[in-house]
Amino acid sequence: MRRSIDDQPITADDLPPGADDATPVSWSVAVCDDYDDASPRIVLTVEDLGRPGAGLVAHLDGASTRRLRAALRDALREVGEVPGD
């Protein structure tokens, strides 16, 4: 089973001024259980725009996904944003 959850393509126009060395990327989040142990995992894919299939794919278990979620929440707080749900 594979199920797409969300994705976000980012263009060069979305990058902040002065981020000349940054590469526009797209990200996607999916759920997949196509593993030998049949355990469902969260799949995070990050790709350079215009290079589909050439990105990095992280296969995260529940603990790793929660750790990433906490890190993103903390980063939002650090920049003065309300983390939300």
Side-chain angles (χ1 to χ4, degrees), residues 11-78:
T11 68
D13 294 334
D14 297 320
L15 296 174
D20 301 329
D21 61 344
T23 301
V25 298
S26 64
W27 59 261
S28 67
V29 174
V31 176
C32 179
D33 68 354
D34 295 346
Y35 308 98
D36 289 345
D37 64 4
S39 294
R41 290 181 175 79
I42 308 304
V43 179
L44 171 64
T45 304
V46 180
E47 297 178 319
D48 293 348
L49 286 182
R51 297 190 61 210
L56 299 173
V57 180
H59 302 263
L60 306 171
D61 62 13
S64 295
T65 302
R66 283 187 290 280
R67 183 175 176 180
L68 177 58
R69 179 180 63 186
L72 293 170
R73 181 196 62 230
D74 292 348
L76 281 169
R77 284 189 183 134
E78 187 71 24

